Amino acid sequence: MIILVATDDELRLASKHLAGHEIVKTGVGAGNVIRCCSKLLQRPGIEKEKIVNVGFCGSNSLTIGSIIKVSKTWRLMDNVVEFEDWRNGYELSPEGYPCYTSNSFVLQTDIVEPCAFDMELNYMAAFEMPLVGSIKIVSDNLCLDKYEHSIRHSEDETWDEVKRMLTEFE
């Protein structure tokens, strides 16, 4: 299984806690994800792999420290489109919460349903690669200071739960 993470902190934490899996850092945002996933797709046999995105996210209402599965990913700027469009949403799991991918850190939203926000997942899902799911750790409720604090104080128990959830994708 290949684990895709976005940041240096996520790489450090995933490498420490998710030994036995290949951890690949995409970088933050669309451009970095596009470069990384393009290279990944050139690997022989990549279609036989299982790829899971793991990382921190913001949320409008989910409790900080929650570990969630992503049910569907949307590009935040396309949320207003009133029809199903392959460029907008991708189903990942029948259970979990939607994750909206933005090009910047989300500090406010009009979305009322419980959801997550990140800056990479929807771009990962746009690639024809074997992305089987996404596990997110809620780091903040739309507050940059809380995000940075949560990453610095990530608990071993949090990563034990991520590891347990990864087994569901194997």
Side-chain angles (χ1 to χ4, degrees):
M1 182 177 301
I2 298 172
I3 309 297
L4 295 181
V5 300
T7 68
D8 288 332
D9 286 322
E10 290 170 350
L11 177 63
R12 177 181 51 77
L13 290 163
S15 296
K16 175 182 175 186
H17 294 283
L18 305 178
H21 299 289
E22 179 183 356
I23 314 294
V24 175
K25 183 182 114 179
T26 62
V28 175
N32 288 315
V33 169
I34 290 166
R35 270 191 300 281
C36 178
C37 291
S38 294
K39 288 180 187 175
L40 205 54
L41 280 173
Q42 294 174 19
R43 283 189 189 181
I46 192 68
E47 69 281 353
K48 296 176 185 164
E49 294 283 348
K50 289 184 178 180
I51 300 174
V52 178
N53 165 243
V54 173
F56 289 94
C57 70
S59 175
N60 60 342
S61 61
L62 298 170
T63 304
I64 294 171
S66 299
I67 299 107
I68 64 165
K69 280 187 186 174
V70 174
S71 58
K72 189 168 186 173
T73 177
W74 293 92
R75 280 194 329 227
L76 186 57
M77 63 185 168
D78 290 331
N79 188 36
V80 297
V81 176
E82 296 179 9
F83 57 90
E84 290 297 314
D85 185 340
W86 63 268
R87 294 172 293 172
N88 295 338
Y90 299 94
E91 296 283 343
L92 295 176
S93 172
E95 57 188 41
Y97 296 92
C99 181
Y100 295 89
T101 297
S102 176
N103 290 323
S104 60
F105 198 91
V106 176
L107 297 173
Q108 62 183 11
T109 184
D110 293 332
I111 299 170
V112 294
E113 68 176 322
C115 65
F117 297 96
D118 81 345
M119 293 169 44
E120 298 82 26
L121 181 57
N122 194 260
Y123 299 109
M124 292 173 189
F127 277 85
E128 289 293 324
M129 62 182 186
L131 181 68
V132 297
S134 178
I135 299 170
K136 298 291 189 182
I137 302 163
V138 178
S139 61
D140 63 275
N141 292 125
L142 312 184
C143 175
L144 189 54
D145 291 338
K146 287 282 188 187
Y147 165 79
E148 292 168 355
H149 174 48
S150 291
I151 290 175
R152 285 193 305 271
H153 295 91
S154 179
E155 302 285 335
D156 288 348
E157 294 81 18
T158 298
W159 289 91
D160 290 343
E161 178 63 11
V162 170
K163 186 186 289 187
R164 187 201 63 74
M165 290 174 78
L166 277 176
T167 63
E168 298 175 25
F169 296 112
E170 293 177 338

